[in-house]
Structures are given as C-alpha cells and as structure tokens.
Amino acid sequence: MTDLIRLTDVEKSYTRGKEKIAIFDKLTMRIEQGDFVAIMGPSGSGKTTLLNLLGGTDRPDKGSIEFDGKNIEKLSEGKLTAWRSANVGFIFQFYNLMPILTAAQNVELPLLLTRLSPKQRRENVATALKIVGLEDRAKHRPRELSGGQQQRVAIARAIVSDPKLLLADEPTGDLDRTTADEILSTLQTLNRELGKTIIMVTHDAEAAKFAKRTLHLDKGRFDERELAA
Amino acid sequence: MATLLDQINAVTALNVRSIPQRGWMSAASVIAVALTITVLLFFLALANGLRATVEGSGSEDVAIVIREGSNAELNSVVTRDQLAILATGPNVAQRNEAPLISGELLVIVDGVKRSTGTNANMPFRGIGQEGLALRRGVTITRGRMFNPGTNEIVVGAGLLREFSGFEFGQTIRIRGSDWQVVGVFEAPGTVFESELWADIAVTQSLFNRPNVFQTMRVQLTSAAAMEAFTRWAASDARLEGLEILSERAYYARQASQSTQGFMAIAWILGIMMAIGALAGALNTMYSSVQARSAEIATLRIIGFSGWAAFFGTMVEALALSALGGVLGVAIAFLAFNGRTTSTLGSGFTQLVFKFDLSPGLVITAIVVAIIIGLFGGLFPGIRAARQKPQLELAAA
Ligand SMILES: Nc1ncnc2c1ncn2[C@@H]1O[C@H](COP(=O)(O)OP(=O)(O)OP(=O)(O)O)[C@@H](O)[C@H]1O
Ligand SMILES: [Mg+2]
C-alpha cells in the first residue's frame, strides 16, 4: 500500500502569555491510502491540533507534512486553501451547516470553488445526497432535519468534490447511540466502497470499532506499538 | 479554481440572506443612515431651493442701481436727480420714446401668516410704470395690473399662499389707507412672488416718503451692454456712491449668506449624524461577523478565501447603508421636496421658496450613505477575513 500522508519530525507549540506549550515534539507518522483511523485520547492531548495540521488549516512549527508525495507545509495561504478544497473533506461535531441554505445548497458549497457547470454541480450534489441516503431531503433546511440527518448532509458536503481524505472531529459526539452507529457505518461504507481515507477523532470506544485501527494519543505522543503496527 | 468573484458572490448571498436573522440590529442601522441622509438633504435642499429661487429671479440685461455698501434695499437711497441722469445712459432700452426704467421704494408692512396665525413682515413695493416689463417671467394670472396713480395693488401668488387677507378683490387697510387688490401675479421660483406691488408715486405719498427711491431698475438693450453702462455711470461725479450690477448678480449676492448658512448646517449636522450612523453600522457589522464566526470558519476550512469573507461583510454593510440612503431620500421626497417654505431674507423681507432636491443632491446623499457603509464594513470585514480556518473555532 502507498502512503497518503507522511508526517516527519513535526513540531507544534502554542504560546499562551509567556508560557510556551509544546503539543507535538518530533511527531513522525504515516497513514496509508484507504486507511480508516480512529484517534482517541484525553482532552487537550492534541487530537484537534493534529487534524488541523493534516487538513492544512494550521501549519507545523517544524518538520514536514507530505500528502500524496507533495509537501504542503510551505504552501502559500492561497495555495493551501485551494489544496484543501481539492483534497480534504471536513466533518464537524456540530455539523456546521449554513442554516439559511437547503441541504442541497449546503452540499453544493464546495463545488462553488470549482469550475463545474451548474448542471454538473446539480448532478454531483444529487449523487452525494444519494450516497448518504438523503435524496428526498434535498430541499429541507437544517432546522427541518434531525441531528443524524444534518450530519449526513455534512458528510455529503465533505465528499461532494471527491477528496481523497476525510477528517472528522468527533462526528458522533452529539448523537445518540443508534444514530451514531448509522453515521459510522456510512463512514465505513465510504472507506470500503469509495476508498476514502478517513481520520476520525472520537472519545467513544464503540465508535472507534468502526475504524480499521485505533491510535491513542496522550500529551502529543502516540502509543509507539500502535504506530508501528 | 472558480474565480474569486464567484466565491464573493456565494458568500455575499449567504450574508445578505441571513440579514433577517439579525433583523432588529440591521434595521436600526438602516434607520440611522436614513435619518442622517434625511437631515442632510433637508438643509441641502433648503440651500438649493433658495439659490435656485434667487438665481432664477435675476436677468443679466437688467441693471440694479443701489447705494454703495447697502446690503439691502431698505437702507439704500437713489435720488430723483440721479434717477433722471441714469435714464439718459448708454444702451438704455426705450419704449414709446421713453426709457425703460423703474424707480422703486420698498416698505415693510405686516401680514398674518396662514401657518401660524401670527404677524410677519411682508415687502410692499412701489414700482414705476415699467416695473412689470422690467421683470422677466412675471405674469398677471388673475385680474389686471394696478392703474398708475390709484390705490390699487397686485399681490404675488407666493405671498398669497403664505399670508391671509390679501385675496383677490379684497380691500385692505395698510397704515391708514385702503388698498384694493386688483390682480394676482405669478413669477415662478422668483423672489417677486412674495411681494405686494403698487404704484411708486402713490406709495411714496401714502407712506410719507415723498421723492424717495431706494433702487432703480434699468432695462439695457442687451446683457453685453451692462459693462458700458456701468463704466459710463462710474465716470459721472453726480452718480458717485451708487453701485450698478446685474439683477442676477444682485440677487445671488443677497442669497449667498443664507445658502452658505444652510450648507454649513447641512454638513456640520450631517457629518455629526454620519459619525453616529457609522458607529451603529460598525456595531452591527461586528456583531454580524461575531454571529457568523462559525460560519466564516467553516467556509474558510472548506476552501473559501479570506477575500470572500471580507467582501461578503463589506457588501452586507454596503447593502444596509445603501438601503438606509434610499430610505432617507424617499423620506426626503415625501416629507419636504417641493414644499414651500419661507425665510427672512436680508432686509427682513419674507422670501418664499421651495425645497429643491436636485439629482445632484440625491447623488450626494447616496454617496454619503455609501461612505458610511464602506467604513462600517471595512474593519469588521478585515476581522472576518482574518478569522482562522480551524476546527476548534468552527465548533459552534
Ligand atoms: N489556538 C490555540 N492557542 C493556544 N493553545 C491552543 C490552541 N489550540 C489548542 N491549544 C492547546 O493545545 C492543546 C491541545 O488542544 P487540542 O484542541 O488539539 O486538544 P484535543 O485533543 O482536541 O482536546 P478535546 O478532546 O478537548 O477536543 C490544549 O492544551 C489546548 O489548550
Ligand atoms: Mg478537539
């Protein structure tokens, strides 16, 4: 298998006042194309920070991040933004849909950054909604949908421009068990059938079982045996 | 990549469509801009109307003779002898072999204002036989001109609108004499509409000012003749102390003080209110950015640029202030455009004129509204653009 992501000696710290808080110190890891990784760990261990680095919404202080063989850590702000829209789909704990847009319009948002024609956009939106099983809810607004349905819309939005990587930060954190399991099997299907590489942060051991493997993060360090596996 | 314009369009549409979610605050800032614009236009239209009235009154081929240094007709004196000399000047137009001139006397009388029921000053003008011919655009619209040597008066339509008791056919008593209103004249948009006219000789005698003139009107053969006439008068020692200028220049000078006053009030008040409206707009837009922070972060994560976030905020601010501007203009049109008002002109005479909202003023007002919007959107827009595209921030 080929590596989709390679982190080499990544360092990241924040300064709060005078205090410097190191989050990652020489973090090295790789994620294969087609993997489905669950990341677990206590609050403040750096899970979200890691997703931000992987998704190009933050930059490392040192070290390199390769995606598909290309370094992204030194891209200009504009190039990084464009890279993000082409390669990464994001799924949030609270869905982050635009309340005034319909489900279909929400899903269409990333396509507004492409050169697709309105007709192509409509087709892609319809396909994405079909994949998450919401083709009959296209005209509904977020407040007319249940939490699980809203998260499905968000997943459709994340996959509509066909990115290789999906990043999910506690995607089921706000859902009940049954709904959570439905969402997780959808992610599993995306991984198995469409070959999406998925990295999912979760506090829920049940949720982690849907992934191919689970990595435990603590104080910015992964369990070495898990990483090596 | 799609063009930046497409991104901006999408984000702007999102912003503008979500304005109703911040309805009260947005409405308040629209109203603040609208009030600013209305007040600004009120005084600018006042100045504009006054200037238009005054400039419209003046001809370039009619010379006004007045005593040098008198700002108003009331403290001017032109003697009977000077009048006779001026009548012989170069290029003085003739009719029936007599010069087209009018020696005039202005007195102030009391009248009752319709709007308030209180007394106010009105100009009562004694004019020569050619006084009517010497005023362009004046027409008798009802009745007839007064007959020379009689106690007849004609009344300006503007004055008639503002004052009661001077209706056509009435006999009125002024300073112990009875006068009969035999005609109504119109002089659209000019100062004359606010006057009463009577025969000069009768006026001089009944107001006890025998042989006194204050001003003189001289019809010249053309506007170009003005210079020669003025030069000729300056070379005659008997005419020393008199000033000669075109009617248009004379009225423009009289009005400039008032129009400048209105303009100053307009801009001082306008700018103060604009600063208030700007504070409101900034407040509204900062809270808009605040309320949309998760939305903005999400869009940035998805791949929308900071510029799109900036312009989205900017256009929202501009839309709100432009709406306020249009509303302000609409209020101005409904509330006072075309309405007549009057002011105490120099010389304490009542001058009736209209608020005049010219296209230029409307454009000025919209520009002011847009400036408020630009500044109101700039800093909140920068804040929106600088928002980091990060998951933690996107957590609602
Ligand atoms: N922008 C920032 N500025 C300063 N410190 C930050 C910033 N973002 C994160 N941190 C700090 O970095 C550490 C790791 O944060 P991170 O959000 O990655 O944790 P997490 O594992 O996602 O926690 P949680 O499970 O609570 O979401 C925390 O101590 C946090 O306070
Ligand atoms: Mg987190």
Side-chain angles (χ1 to χ4, degrees):
Chain A
M1 285 295 254
T2 49
D3 289 339
L4 181 65
I5 301 168
R6 253 185 230 141
L7 266 65
T8 314
D9 293 335
V10 165
E11 294 182 22
K12 180 73 186 172
S13 61
Y14 289 114
T15 39
R16 197 179 290 146
K18 279 185 192 158
E19 207 185 350
K20 193 172 163 195
I21 309 162
I23 313 292
F24 297 118
D25 184 26
K26 296 211 182 296
L27 175 67
T28 298
M29 71 184 292
R30 29 171 60 192
I31 289 163
E32 284 178 350
Q33 180 102 41
D35 206 349
F36 184 173
V37 184
I39 295 176
M40 299 191 70
S43 195
S45 56
K47 304 183 296 294
T48 299
T49 305
L50 179 63
L51 288 195
N52 278 329
L53 292 171
L54 295 175
T57 52
D58 202 354
R59 293 167 192 274
D61 300 335
K62 276 190 187 152
S64 72
I65 301 176
E66 270 174 74
F67 183 92
D68 233 359
K70 270 193 299 194
N71 280 72
I72 61 159
E73 79 276 359
K74 291 208 173 66
L75 291 179
S76 70
E77 196 56 44
K79 287 235 170 71
L80 189 63
T81 305
W83 171 84
R84 229 167 31 229
S85 69
N87 294 291
V88 193
F90 294 86
I91 299 161
F92 311 92
Q93 178 175 359
F94 300 105
Y95 332 126
N96 289 44
L97 301 174
M98 309 293 142
I100 53 156
L101 299 183
T102 63
Q105 288 168 333
N106 267 290
V107 174
E108 192 187 10
L109 276 176
L111 297 181
L112 298 177
L113 300 165
T114 67
R115 288 205 177 279
L116 294 183
S117 71
K119 184 170 170 286
Q120 283 172 304
R121 293 207 299 260
R122 263 197 307 279
E123 283 170 11
N124 292 11
V125 167
T127 309
L129 281 172
K130 199 170 167 145
I131 290 172
V132 298
L134 277 183
E135 58 268 55
D136 56 339
R137 292 285 191 278
K139 294 226 156 62
H140 290 236
R141 284 178 210 282
R143 71 175 130 71
E144 298 158 351
L145 298 170
S146 71
Q149 287 171 329
Q150 288 186 57
Q151 192 61 300
R152 285 172 184 283
V153 175
I155 292 172
R157 179 179 66 187
I159 60 172
V160 73
S161 49
D162 200 22
K164 286 187 173 160
L165 177 65
L166 293 184
L167 298 177
D169 200 350
E170 303 196 34
T172 57
D174 210 39
L175 300 172
D176 62 54
R177 181 78 266 149
T178 324
T179 315
D181 287 350
E182 284 166 17
I183 293 293
L184 290 161
S185 8
T186 303
L187 290 178
Q188 209 167 43
T189 311
L190 292 174
N191 172 249
R192 286 186 185 155
E193 288 174 20
L194 298 179
K196 301 288 174 208
T197 306
I198 302 178
I199 302 171
M200 172 179 77
V201 165
T202 183
H203 279 297
D204 174 13
E206 292 296 313
K209 285 181 186 158
F210 285 80
K212 285 184 178 165
R213 60 185 178 127
T214 301
L215 299 178
H216 288 87
L217 187 64
D218 196 6
K219 299 200 181 84
R221 298 208 156 272
F222 281 108
D223 187 313
E224 289 299 333
R225 283 162 306 166
E226 283 174 1
L227 264 194
Chain B
M1 277 304 281
T3 62
L4 180 60
L5 208 63
D6 293 333
Q7 288 193 37
I8 292 171
N9 278 345
V11 175
T12 301
L14 265 176
N15 277 9
V16 172
R17 287 176 55 188
S18 68
I19 285 176
Q21 291 173 353
R22 303 177 292 280
W24 286 112
M25 190 154 220
S26 303
S29 78
V30 167
I31 288 168
V33 174
L35 288 180
T36 304
I37 296 306
T38 306
V39 168
L40 181 66
L41 281 179
F42 182 90
F43 288 102
L44 287 181
L46 207 60
N48 200 35
L50 183 59
R51 187 172 42 213
T53 298
V54 161
E55 284 184 355
S57 305
S59 301
E60 306 232 49
D61 59 355
V62 171
I64 302 274
V65 184
I66 189 169
R67 197 181 66 186
E68 218 163 33
S70 16
N71 284 323
E73 287 184 69
L74 285 175
N75 32 30
S76 170
V77 177
V78 180
T79 66
R80 176 174 285 279
D81 294 340
Q82 288 172 324
L83 202 73
I85 296 166
L86 284 161
T88 66
N91 301 318
V92 174
Q94 310 280 316
R95 183 153 75 178
N96 303 330
E97 292 176 25
L100 265 171
I101 60 167
S102 168
E104 306 193 345
L105 172 65
L106 191 72
V107 290
I108 296 302
V109 299
D110 270 348
V112 179
K113 278 199 95 165
R114 284 184 198 277
S115 55
T116 56
T118 55
N119 279 7
N121 291 331
M122 293 184 318
F124 185 112
R125 185 185 293 275
I127 63 175
Q129 237 170 321
E130 300 293 357
L132 183 63
L134 270 158
R135 288 175 167 82
R136 220 52 49 81
V138 179
T139 46
I140 301 282
T141 51
R142 203 156 172 216
R144 56 172 174 79
M145 189 58 181
F146 60 79
N147 282 324
T150 65
N151 285 24
E152 292 175 348
I153 54 174
V154 288
V155 51
L159 183 134
L160 207 52
R161 280 192 293 272
E162 294 274 305
F163 289 87
S164 60
F166 298 92
E167 287 76 14
F168 180 68
Q170 294 257 38
T171 301
I172 50 181
R173 203 168 174 78
I174 301 172
R175 305 245 185 118
S177 321
D178 286 332
W179 300 79
Q180 176 139 35
V181 181
V182 297
V184 176
F185 65 90
E186 274 179 24
T190 75
V191 285
F192 308 126
E193 274 213 343
S194 327
E195 296 184 346
L196 292 167
W197 289 349
D199 180 66
I200 176 69
V202 178
T203 306
Q204 283 171 332
S205 106
L206 290 184
F207 285 90
N208 208 14
R209 308 262 182 84
N211 290 334
V212 175
F213 301 89
Q214 288 162 332
T215 54
M216 179 186 176
R217 285 173 174 266
V218 183
Q219 176 69 60
L220 300 178
T221 48
S222 72
M226 187 66 65
E227 205 197 322
F229 183 76
T230 314
R231 218 168 333 105
W232 164 81
S235 67
D236 191 322
R238 293 167 299 174
L239 300 178
E240 211 181 286
L242 294 182
E243 187 183 7
I244 300 174
L245 66 172
S246 78
E247 189 188 42
R248 176 181 289 251
Y250 174 69
Y251 284 123
R253 187 173 75 186
Q254 278 204 319
S256 68
Q257 226 175 346
S258 305
T259 52
Q260 278 164 14
F262 288 135
M263 303 264 279
I265 295 173
W267 287 112
I268 291 169
L269 218 59
I271 286 171
M272 270 166 27
M273 290 187 69
I275 290 170
L278 175 60
L282 278 171
N283 192 25
T284 304
M285 293 318 299
Y286 272 127
S287 13
S288 164
V289 171
Q290 180 71 31
R292 289 182 295 113
S293 70
E295 243 174 60
I296 295 170
T298 306
L299 288 170
R300 296 280 288 114
I301 290 170
I302 289 175
F304 284 83
S305 70
W307 284 108
F310 172 78
F311 280 108
T313 306
M314 202 71 190
V315 172
E316 178 183 344
L318 284 173
L320 291 178
S321 64
L323 188 66
V326 169
L327 190 66
V329 170
I331 293 173
F333 266 102
L334 292 175
F336 53 75
N337 188 37
R339 276 202 189 201
T340 49
T341 183
S342 58
T343 183
L344 290 176
S346 18
F348 304 107
T349 55
Q350 194 88 32
L351 173 59
V352 178
F353 63 99
K354 284 179 176 168
F355 283 93
D356 187 3
L357 280 176
S358 65
L361 289 191
V362 171
I363 291 170
T364 304
I366 297 293
V367 167
V368 169
I370 285 174
I371 289 172
I372 294 174
L374 278 177
F375 282 100
L378 182 64
F379 300 105
I382 290 172
R383 181 177 289 182
R386 286 200 175 156
Q387 175 137 355
K388 281 197 177 149
Q390 291 194 353
L391 294 173
E392 207 76 322
L393 298 167

